[in-house]
Amino acid sequence: MLQNIRDASQHWLGKIVLTVIFTLLIAGVGIFGVEEFFRGSASTTVATVGKTPISAESVRTAYQNQLQRFQAQFRRNLTPDQARALGIERQVMAQLVTEAALDQKTRDLGLAVPDAAVIRAIHDEKSFQNAEGRFDPALFYQTLQRAGLNEPMFVREQRAVIARLQLAEAVTADLAVPQAMREAVHRYATERRAASYMVLTPSVAGDIPSPSEDDLKGYYEANKSGFRAPETRAASLLVLDPERLAKPDAVSAEEVQKLYEARKSTFGTPERRTIQQIVFPDAAAAEEARKAIESGAKTFEAVATERGTDGKDLTLGTLTKAELFDPAVAEAAFGLASGGVSAPVKGRFGTVLLHVTAIEPGTTKPLSEVEPEIRKQVAQARAREQVDTIHDAVEDQRASAKPLAEIAKERDLPLVTVPAVDAQGQDAAGAKVADIPEPDTTLPALFRAEIGGDNEPLRTKAGGYVWYDVTKIDAAHDKPLDQVRDAVAAGWRAAEIAKRLQDTSKALAGRLDKGEDIEAVAQSAGLNVQKTEDIARNQAKEGLTTDVVERLFATNVGKAGSAPAGDNRVVFKVTAATMPAYVPGSPSDKTVEGNFRTALADDVLGQYIAEVQKNAGVSINQAALRRAIGGEY
């Protein structure tokens, strides 16, 4: 039964109805109000769906759960205003009203889940099973105890969850995807088009005169947002980097020598051998073959041929000892001289004879060559051990409100001072700001922080930390025209070229629609005609961008059109449209049917729930809701 529940939870309703019980139970969330929620205590009712109440405790619990999920996602605490901006209370109430509506409907329909089904579902839940896959009562009761629940509470809520899912499954069972819909999807996905087209480059626009002052002012006012300076922030960054802490010169020669001797085999390349192998049914047959080889009566290859071993199976390859899977084979092969044949070896896959045809000796780098590498490894290992100690000391100093600059000076740690940086890592001039450690993590943190805020240090990929303080915030603002005059002029020129190309392309497409030959039209405009076939939706092809292809599929066969393609513009005429025949029941049709059945079921279920809520009636006590979530909104 719970397997069915897990399957059902893949769509959004399943996730809703399972949220309350398993988020609280399996995660072991000990949020205030949990016990009262399951007791159904007589606290203030926040909402009512039909005759089903939604208590303040359930709202409070669900709200805190959702708030914690968002805080974990953003990795910081959220203020009440931020929570309201995210719409957390609306999401919670929608979830609880949906559950209450389903509970009301199951009662109206007289649906009931028998004890045997609930017990079977609990026993089938893997979270309550031991390593052997059997239900473990001790584990079950321990989990309930951690969540502050008892067995009757859990069983009651579990029964309600199963009933909700059974109702949802009944509503969406055996939904048929109309053939007309499947055929429409087939036509959309498989249609291919052919077209003739010509490309208008900026040179077609001709000479563009310099803009007048009025032109510049008009373009600037109409596109002022494109010349807006983004918000920038100044910040101080204290960097604790294990690699910078590492001091290779402090590692003694004795330590280097000791580590070199202990790991000498890793400094170089191991010996490799080219090995041949013949498999025999027993040791006697292998020994007989070995004697024939030793006496010179037969070669190793001749014995292999007699045994039916071809060339690709004869040679194992040129391998190191560690690369040989069978330990017995490895020991025997690496105990032979070059050209030697082994005695019968009892391997994992039978008795074998081995023949070593070549040996590549191993090499070991001298200490002088690997000494810098060893020093670096030892120094970095020591530095990583110091990181946590330094982190704790810096945190103590931060707690006493000591500035990052002073901490950096006292502990000889690098301090990165950033005069101004925007959210994309650029300064006011648009240049990339260097020296910001791990900007993908650090920049978002800087733009979430406030001046004087208590910021948690960021953990770096190298195992270090970055402490940061925002020292100044310059809000986003419009740049004056004089400051961006060159950019405005360039923008005006680009817009003027685009307008001229659009006017020209409209005129050319109009001539094509009147029946003129595309070759003649192109020649009169000094353009070349190109042709292409097998054009698929949403896929660029040759000189046609996805924007052009989208417009091309929106144009009837035999008609012309145009669309921008970067700095160019394309004028086209659709010459053909083809598609394979639609075959009901084909593999592709079944795939479409399966995909759309899920979407159709979600739509039907959503409409059903909305109708249930409408018929049952939903009322919400706004004052009780504000008290439940802890504030006004």
Side-chain angles (χ1 to χ4, degrees):
M1 177 65 72
L2 265 188
Q3 183 58 47
N4 293 334
I5 292 175
R6 287 192 295 273
D7 293 340
S9 69
Q10 297 308 305
H11 59 66
W12 67 271
L13 176 68
K15 293 177 182 177
I16 289 175
V17 297
L18 287 176
T19 295
V20 174
I21 184 63
F22 284 110
T23 298
L24 294 178
L25 177 61
I26 305 306
V29 178
I31 301 174
F32 63 92
V34 172
E35 295 185 26
E36 286 73 13
F37 165 61
F38 284 99
R39 290 195 193 102
S41 61
S43 55
T44 304
T45 297
V46 171
T48 304
V49 181
K51 296 180 180 179
T52 302
I54 300 176
S55 68
E57 287 79 4
S58 62
V59 172
R60 186 181 301 116
T61 298
Y63 181 83
Q64 291 295 328
N65 281 339
Q66 189 75 331
L67 182 63
Q68 287 188 352
R69 281 192 286 270
F70 274 97
Q71 290 178 158
Q73 179 182 347
F74 293 131
R75 292 186 295 181
R76 65 189 179 98
N77 292 332
L78 297 177
T79 65
D81 288 341
Q82 291 169 332
R84 284 194 294 272
L86 291 169
I88 294 179
E89 75 280 351
R90 294 191 298 273
Q91 298 172 29
V92 167
M93 286 308 300
Q95 168 188 321
L96 295 178
V97 167
T98 295
E99 293 177 355
L102 290 173
D103 290 343
Q104 179 66 46
K105 192 62 177 180
T106 57
R107 283 194 293 271
D108 292 344
L109 295 173
L111 296 181
V113 179
D115 292 343
V118 177
I119 293 172
R120 183 168 61 252
I122 294 173
H123 282 203
D124 289 344
E125 173 54 44
K126 294 187 180 300
S127 302
F128 302 141
Q129 294 176 355
N130 56 26
E132 289 75 32
R134 292 192 296 271
F135 176 73
D136 187 339
L139 179 60
F140 173 70
Y141 287 112
Q142 288 170 6
T143 307
L144 293 185
Q145 186 177 16
R146 285 197 299 270
L149 309 175
N150 59 39
E151 182 180 349
M153 299 174 190
F154 175 67
V155 170
R156 183 171 62 250
E157 183 59 24
Q158 182 74 340
R159 193 189 306 276
V161 169
I162 296 173
R164 294 169 196 160
L165 286 174
Q166 286 181 337
L167 176 60
E169 290 169 356
V171 171
T172 59
D174 298 326
L175 284 176
V177 180
Q179 182 172 320
M181 177 185 289
R182 294 172 359 233
E183 184 173 1
V185 173
H186 167 81
R187 291 174 60 85
Y188 183 89
T190 62
E191 182 182 358
R192 297 293 182 267
R193 293 200 165 194
S196 298
Y197 65 95
M198 40 191 161
V199 180
L200 282 65
T201 62
S203 62
V204 175
D207 294 332
I208 306 296
S210 298
S212 65
E213 187 67 16
D214 288 340
D215 289 333
L216 290 179
K217 289 181 179 179
Y219 185 82
Y220 171 76
E221 291 298 330
N223 299 275
K224 188 178 289 187
S225 62
F227 306 102
R228 187 172 174 80
E231 176 185 319
T232 60
R233 296 190 170 206
S236 296
L237 308 172
L238 177 64
V239 184
L240 175 58
D241 184 2
E243 292 190 9
R244 190 179 185 279
L245 289 177
K247 301 185 183 303
D249 293 340
V251 181
S252 68
E254 292 77 11
E255 290 176 297
V256 173
Q257 181 69 43
K258 183 178 180 181
L259 183 60
Y260 176 77
E261 294 298 333
R263 298 173 51 195
K264 183 178 289 188
S265 61
T266 65
F267 300 114
T269 59
E271 178 183 317
R272 302 170 77 237
R273 296 188 169 207
T274 303
I275 305 166
Q276 294 179 327
Q277 172 183 280
I278 305 174
V279 181
F280 293 86
D282 52 48
E287 179 61 23
E288 181 180 350
R290 187 192 68 80
K291 289 179 179 179
I293 295 170
E294 290 292 336
S295 67
K298 298 178 181 178
T299 63
F300 196 86
E301 289 76 9
V303 173
T305 301
E306 291 177 359
R307 295 289 309 158
T309 304
D310 58 23
K312 65 178 182 179
D313 294 329
L314 177 63
T315 302
L316 295 178
T318 302
L319 309 168
T320 66
K321 188 174 183 178
E323 290 173 332
L324 286 166
F325 174 74
D326 194 322
V329 171
E331 289 295 331
F334 277 78
L336 293 172
S338 180
V341 176
S342 71
V345 178
K346 181 63 176 177
R348 292 183 174 180
F349 304 106
T351 301
V352 299
L353 287 184
L354 304 172
H355 180 214
V356 175
T357 61
I359 297 177
E360 297 178 9
T363 61
T364 301
K365 295 180 181 179
L367 176 60
S368 59
E369 185 176 339
V370 298
E371 182 176 358
E373 179 185 348
I374 294 176
R375 287 184 177 276
K376 182 178 179 181
Q377 291 176 355
V378 173
Q380 288 180 343
R382 289 178 178 175
R384 284 191 291 270
E385 293 174 356
Q386 299 175 31
V387 164
D388 288 339
T389 301
I390 297 175
H391 165 270
D392 293 344
V394 172
E395 282 292 280
D396 289 342
Q397 291 179 292
R398 292 277 285 170
S400 62
K402 181 167 287 190
L404 287 179
E406 292 185 20
I407 298 175
K409 185 176 180 179
E410 288 182 12
R411 300 197 169 276
D412 191 26
L413 294 174
L415 182 74
V416 178
T417 302
V418 182
V421 64
D422 64 21
Q424 281 67 50
Q426 298 177 335
D427 60 18
K432 195 72 175 178
V433 177
D435 301 328
I436 295 181
E438 299 190 10
D440 290 345
T441 301
T442 304
L443 285 173
L446 287 179
F447 278 80
R448 289 195 300 265
E450 300 293 340
I451 295 177
D454 184 13
N455 306 313
E456 290 292 325
L458 305 173
R459 187 76 170 177
T460 67
K461 295 176 182 176
Y465 292 91
V466 176
W467 287 267
Y468 58 97
D469 282 337
V470 176
T471 56
K472 183 181 179 183
I473 299 176
D474 288 328
H477 59 278
D478 294 329
K479 296 180 181 178
L481 174 59
D482 289 341
Q483 187 177 339
V484 293
R485 183 173 294 273
D486 291 342
V488 172
W492 177 89
R493 176 180 173 80
E496 188 67 17
I497 291 174
K499 181 178 181 299
R500 292 192 180 189
L501 291 182
Q502 184 176 15
D503 292 342
T504 302
S505 64
K506 183 178 180 180
L508 295 176
R511 292 173 61 184
L512 294 176
D513 280 339
K514 290 178 180 178
E516 291 191 47
D517 180 69
I518 190 171
E519 296 285 352
V521 171
Q523 185 176 4
S524 68
L527 303 172
N528 296 320
V529 175
Q530 302 178 58
K531 298 181 180 181
T532 187
E533 299 178 346
D534 197 34
I535 306 170
R537 290 182 190 272
N538 305 317
Q539 295 182 26
K541 185 170 185 181
E542 299 171 5
L544 306 180
T545 64
T546 53
D547 289 339
V548 176
V549 170
E550 181 181 355
R551 180 63 185 162
L552 191 148
F553 271 87
T555 303
N556 293 332
V557 176
K559 293 295 184 178
S562 70
D567 293 333
N568 304 325
R569 194 168 183 94
V570 173
V571 177
F572 60 83
K573 182 175 183 179
V574 181
T575 56
T578 60
M579 68 187 71
Y582 170 67
V583 181
S586 64
S588 60
D589 184 50
K590 290 181 179 178
T591 300
V592 170
E593 184 176 17
N595 292 339
F596 274 81
R597 182 179 290 114
T598 300
L600 192 61
D602 286 346
D603 288 343
V604 169
L605 196 54
Q607 294 177 22
Y608 178 79
I609 291 173
E611 189 66 18
V612 169
Q613 293 178 5
K614 177 181 177 181
N615 294 336
V618 178
S619 62
I620 298 178
N621 184 333
Q622 296 294 339
L625 175 59
R626 287 192 290 272
R627 289 193 298 271
I629 65 174
E632 300 292 326
Y633 68 94

